Amino acid sequence: MRTIKRVRAVYFSPTGTTRKVVATVAKHIARALNATRGEYDFTLPEARTAPLVFANDELVVFGTPVYAGRVPNVLLPSQRCTCRHAKNVWVCHWVLDNGLHHTAAEG
């Protein structure tokens, strides 16, 4: 069984709401696992230029907002290319609006 030593809150949060939710989830998971915790905010374009690299002993809590049922268009192309990971455990969270949120996980 793998030991999680660090929990990373990784988020795109233009208004700060997604940051609050993802950071809170990561905090509670880290506390339950007795792990350290870190955050990475890739809201600004310059934060999306270098690859995100995660270690095998990290759990990633990844969050983005959803607008009109979709993850923001500005985000998807860069994240498809810049997330690098070993066999990590991921917790994905979308902060939903009142739109057609069921399509966010499909796109």
Side-chain angles (χ1 to χ4, degrees):
M1 181 174 185
R2 182 187 329 188
T3 301
I4 301 296
K5 294 182 181 175
R6 183 176 169 122
V7 177
R8 300 268 304 262
V10 179
Y11 51 82
F12 178 83
S13 185
T15 66
T17 303
T18 300
R19 182 199 65 76
K20 289 177 191 173
V21 172
V22 171
T24 299
V25 170
K27 177 178 79 173
H28 289 288
I29 293 172
R31 185 179 301 148
L33 296 175
N34 197 28
T36 61
R37 173 170 62 97
E39 291 188 23
Y40 187 80
D41 179 355
F42 60 92
T43 304
L44 298 177
E46 53 271 13
R48 298 190 299 267
T49 57
L52 298 175
V53 180
F54 305 107
N56 282 333
D57 61 356
E58 292 183 302
L59 181 145
V60 180
V61 180
F62 184 86
T64 67
V66 173
Y67 303 116
R70 298 283 183 197
V71 171
N73 289 339
V74 68
L75 177 62
L76 287 176
S78 64
Q79 286 316 108
R80 284 185 185 141
C81 298
T82 61
C83 285
R84 302 284 185 264
H85 60 90
K87 297 176 183 174
N88 296 87
V89 178
W90 288 69
V91 176
C92 294
H93 182 79
W94 292 277
V95 177
L96 306 174
D97 63 4
N98 290 325
L100 301 171
H101 57 271
H102 68 279
T103 59
E106 299 168 5

